[in-house]
């Protein structure tokens, strides 16, 4: 099947592919081109972490806060297409076809179509029939299911692409939430809060930007990827068990998180790294504590995660203040915040503590890092008992914007036939 | 210096050494022989775990419960001596001399002497001057500082030995508590509760036996020793930080533990293994959760501990009920409860999951274990991804009695000169 590519309306989309290809008469009334890179996300105060009070609507038991990372380094790319000729919804993740009938995907599709219907009213001239089946292809440029918020980025990107496809605009975090709770935060850039909300229908459980990514330009991020293995327990399954079995989670959600959310928002507003860092670490630890209080318990941190935590505390202790702050989501990989002037030194400390196994060419990725000469007393106080090969690579990034349309047509993941491009 | 050995009064002490050796005139008015093996202890509901509300008196923030393990397998042996010729207090632990001036040792010594003074009244004929310096030697037959309650057993044994030395009887758990909080529980056999108490002076913070070791004869215990390394954070230092920094610990102590204590006492009374096992695992996990909520966080469980936990849950899931229940104290080694009829099978499951590196001669220690042939479906469901050499050895034991006097004089740790026997 070959289709005629049609551009869906967006002013940003000035470089969309306009490939004229043969089309089977009128079978194919519209095919979309919408490609959206998206961001990975990390938790300061946790949300999935908080578990859900409603698993169908995906309503969390507490509010949460995240920093959207820059898609120059961590991104999901998604292409969505709809066509009269498609006989079924189909989904490809990282090149592998997976079940497109999964309830969360279908919930997002249903919600976007509902918004489109509402918007169009009786406009019969709308180019794309809402009854067409869709094809979606999505790729991450970072490890999936390793606690780097791949499903959050994935669903945010999916909803952005579908919204473009159907010409829907406006508040979409509520729709993204139906795919994966934390995806609602990925619909915005910078520092983002997900309000728990009070309504049973979830209409007030939406994301809000506290500050754009430009608010704190010195804030830098290192992702320490310790393992690409899939985690043993998916975060969705894990979190529901937590809500049911952990007495500490309930207490945390009700009594600890609300006060911390207020405090964290103030730290960000004031760009107070000391307070921001302390609270980030404490809240990451408390999230993992509630995982352990779950029955059966859930472990996302492994021995290497523990070593990274100990290293960060030794580094801060040596400097007499909070210079680096770790946070771990549902996996062993560390996300470490620091101000720009600390990056070079801390990267060298990590390299000494976890010497790369190979020649080290691919050890440092993302934004450039300068060289640092470590003072001897720093090395002896902080670099204890190195573990070669324990960290696969370090990714240097920073806070970034929300979903973006891709300018480059060569990055589209579906070809004119609606099937994945071989060389995507 | 050679001393005249004098037997301190105890009817149980019918086989004490009565070595007549030359003595320097009257310089040496009394030398003790008191040797007490003691037990290792483990937590069901935690106590040290609970942190302390008073670090000097060692008063816990919550009550706790433990099972005293049998000293045929896990024990501390201690000899205490006092002599006019001793010029200073001296202490040997596992053959190494350590500082005897440490406040906790001195607190125990002071308390025992105070009780001795009270008991003697004006009895000037008391054979042993309370002003003499003491020599103490103590040995564990299990790894020290690896989360197997070595300091609890050690201080309980010290206080028992000193009490014999000075002829003090009666309630001594309050004194043992001054050495190491959990030591108070080691002063009794079987199932022991440490009451938190309400008084600021700690007089009501004492241990009480809930049931003797004979109450539940089918209850068996496996200790899985995964590492002899000392833990990174001593439990005393760790726990004080927890009290100061963990909001979850405070909630646990006030709201969760009291209800669980009542429930646990009932499980033991009813010999209800299903309920006992579930609660044991949940409370172990919650203790470690509060360690993680401490800032900086404390990790006692390592990757191997996590694998043991997962193994236990798979084993129970396969059987459709709680057949084994793990508990971890302040270290990576697992203590696993089960009924007698499960021991052979579970030992084989552990052996398959963590195949011994050497020929396996020393892999299984303690009480005898029969052979078991595992059904194929058990192996495929439970033995996942074996890790050779991860467990050093399995110790098979059971609940046991409190402190005992040693009958065998050859096991005394101090010679007639008051110095450690070379071949103790």
């Amino acid at each position: 099947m070959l289709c005629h590519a049609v551009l869906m309306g967006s002013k940003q989309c000035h470089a969309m592919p306009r490939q004229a290809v043969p089309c089977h008469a009128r079978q194919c009334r519209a095919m979309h081109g919408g490609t959206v890179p998206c961001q990975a996300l990390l938790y300061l105060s946790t949300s999935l972490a908080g578990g859900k009070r409603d698993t169908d609507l995906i309503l969390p038991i507490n509010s949460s806060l995240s920093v959207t990372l820059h898609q120059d380094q961590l991104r999901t790319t998604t292409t969505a297409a709809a066509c009269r000729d498609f006989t079924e919804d189909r989904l490809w993740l990282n090149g592998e076809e997976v079940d497109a009938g999964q309830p969360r995907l279908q919930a997002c599709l249903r919600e976007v179509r509902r918004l489109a219907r509402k918007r169009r009213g009786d406009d019969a001239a709308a180019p794309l029939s809402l009854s067409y089946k869709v094809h979606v292809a999505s790729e991450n440029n970072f490890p999936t299911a390793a606690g780097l918020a791949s499903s959050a980025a994935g669903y945010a990107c999916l909803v952005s692409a579908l919204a473009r496809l159907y010409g829907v605009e406006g508040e979409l975090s509520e729709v993204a939430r139906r795919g994966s709770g934390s995806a609602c935060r990925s619909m915005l850039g910078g520092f983002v809060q997900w309000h728990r909300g009070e309504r049973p229908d979830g209409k007030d459980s939406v994301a809000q930007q506290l500050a754009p990514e430009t608010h704190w330009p010195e804030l830098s991020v290192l992702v320490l990827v310790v393992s690409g293995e899939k985690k043993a327990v998916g975060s969705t399954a894990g979190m529901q068990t937590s809500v049911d079995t952990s007495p500490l989670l309930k207490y945390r959600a009700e009594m600890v998180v609300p006060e911390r959310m207020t405090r964290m928002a103030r730290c960000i507003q004031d760009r107070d790294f000391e307070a921001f860092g302390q609270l980030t670490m404490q809240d990451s630890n408390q999230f993992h504590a509630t995982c352990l209080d779950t029955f059966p318990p859930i472990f996302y941190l492994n021995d290497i995660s523990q070593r990274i935590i100990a290293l960060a505390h030794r580094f801060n202790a040596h400097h007499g203040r909070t210079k680096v702050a770790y946070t771990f989501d549902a996996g062993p990989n560390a996300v470490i915040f620091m101000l720009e002037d600390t990056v070079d030194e801390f990267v060298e400390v990590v390299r000494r503590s976890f010497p790369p196994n190979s020649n080290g060419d691919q050890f440092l990725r993302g934004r450039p890092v300068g060289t640092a000469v470590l003072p001897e007393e720093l090395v002896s106080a902080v670099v204890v008992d190195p573990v070669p090969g324990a960290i696969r690579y370090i990714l240097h990034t920073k806070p970034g914007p929300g979903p973006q349309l891709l300018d480059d047509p060569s990055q589209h993941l579906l070809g004119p036939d609606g099937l994945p491009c071989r060389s995507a």
Side-chain angles (χ1 to χ4, degrees), chain A:
Chain A
M1 177 187 66
L2 293 170
C3 297
H4 176 78
V6 173
L7 172 65
M8 300 310 297
S10 162
K11 286 176 191 163
Q12 290 183 263
C13 187
H14 51 270
M16 292 299 293
R18 290 173 171 278
Q19 299 168 302
V21 288
C23 185
H24 287 194
R26 287 185 199 152
Q27 288 185 345
C28 186
R29 289 202 13 227
M31 171 162 175
H32 144 279
T35 309
V36 186
C38 197
Q39 76 277 46
L41 146 160
L42 60 100
Y43 306 92
L44 299 187
S45 194
T46 51
S47 73
L48 254 192
K52 302 175 190 70
R53 67 179 201 270
D54 185 309
T55 46
D56 180 34
L57 290 171
I58 311 193
L59 301 177
I61 64 170
N62 56 251
S63 296
S64 58
L65 209 153
S66 66
V67 176
T68 298
L69 297 182
H70 205 291
Q71 49 198 255
D72 280 356
Q73 283 81 42
L74 289 168
R75 68 175 167 276
T76 299
T77 304
T78 299
T79 299
C83 183
R84 181 181 186 169
D85 289 348
F86 292 170
T87 53
E88 54 178 348
D89 295 331
R90 296 180 71 179
L91 173 63
W92 291 266
L93 293 183
N94 295 316
E96 297 283 314
E97 183 159 13
V98 298
D99 177 23
Q102 47 183 294
R104 287 163 165 237
L105 177 73
Q106 291 297 324
C108 290
L109 200 48
R110 194 170 55 239
E111 286 300 302
V112 173
R113 285 179 175 143
R114 192 178 58 75
L115 293 175
R117 197 171 294 119
K118 198 167 152 190
R119 183 186 163 89
R120 291 179 187 182
D122 295 324
D123 180 6
L128 186 67
S129 169
L130 295 172
S131 65
Y132 290 174
K133 299 295 183 185
V134 297
H135 284 190
V136 175
S138 188
E139 288 189 353
N140 298 320
N141 75 336
F142 57 93
T144 302
L148 287 174
S150 56
S151 75
Y155 275 106
C157 203
L158 171 76
V159 169
S160 297
L162 290 175
R164 297 281 176 187
L165 180 63
Y166 290 111
V168 173
E169 286 170 350
E171 156 58 39
L172 289 165
S173 75
E174 197 202 331
V175 180
R177 195 199 70 221
R178 302 292 298 273
S180 173
S182 50
C184 73
R185 287 185 309 242
S186 285
M187 297 300 283
L188 296 161
F191 302 84
V192 186
Q193 183 167 5
W194 175 11
H195 293 283
R196 176 192 184 279
E198 299 296 333
R199 293 175 52 160
D201 66 2
K203 295 286 178 202
D204 58 349
S205 188
V206 295
Q208 178 199 12
Q209 188 182 65
L210 289 181
E213 65 275 18
T214 52
H215 167 70
W216 199 348
E218 304 83 11
L219 193 65
S220 301
V221 177
L222 296 179
V223 181
L224 273 46
V225 177
V226 306
S227 162
E229 291 171 45
K230 284 208 176 193
K231 58 205 179 202
V233 178
S235 41
T236 300
M239 282 309 131
Q240 198 45 44
T241 314
S242 293
V243 174
D244 295 339
T245 63
S246 167
L248 299 186
L249 175 57
K250 189 169 145 55
Y251 175 74
R252 162 175 166 73
E254 290 171 9
M255 305 302 290
V256 180
V257 170
E259 180 270 332
R260 286 187 173 180
M261 288 294 291
T262 309
R263 203 144 41 99
M264 182 61 91
R266 202 181 318 122
C267 296
I268 292 169
Q269 206 52 53
D270 299 346
R271 294 186 281 264
D272 177 349
F273 189 81
E274 178 79 29
F276 168 86
Q278 292 258 335
L279 194 48
T280 296
M281 293 187 279
Q282 285 171 338
D283 212 61
S284 171
N285 293 338
Q286 190 171 90
F287 160 52
H288 292 282
T290 63
C291 293
L292 188 40
D293 189 44
T294 299
F295 194 74
I298 302 166
F299 296 97
Y300 294 124
L301 306 178
N302 64 18
D303 284 356
I304 302 306
S305 315
Q306 295 180 8
R307 282 176 183 270
I308 293 169
I309 289 173
L311 177 67
H313 284 289
R314 284 196 304 272
F315 187 80
N316 290 339
H318 177 77
H319 284 290
R321 62 198 165 97
T322 303
K323 300 242 314 174
V324 297
Y326 54 80
T327 182
F328 293 80
D329 194 11
N333 302 310
V335 174
I336 306 189
F337 293 100
M338 65 204 69
L339 297 179
E340 218 165 18
D341 59 9
T342 305
V343 172
D344 299 352
E345 184 178 87
F346 192 70
V347 163
E348 186 56 25
V349 164
V350 172
R351 195 202 301 270
R352 296 273 203 112
S353 303
F354 307 97
N357 265 341
S358 61
N359 62 10
D361 271 359
Q362 288 291 304
F363 189 63
L364 195 52
R365 306 182 187 184
R367 307 182 71 214
V369 174
T371 53
V373 177
L374 303 183
E376 200 39 58
E377 71 270 21
L378 172 66
V379 174
S380 60
V382 176
V383 179
V384 178
D385 195 12
V387 188
I391 290 185
R392 278 178 48 212
Y393 62 89
I394 303 174
L395 182 85
H396 180 206
T397 183
K398 61 176 181 177
Q404 306 284 311
L405 270 177
L406 258 191
D407 283 345
D408 181 358
S410 73
Q411 293 193 37
H412 283 210
L413 302 178
L414 293 174
D417 56 356
L419 295 174
C421 308
R422 294 253 167 128
S423 57

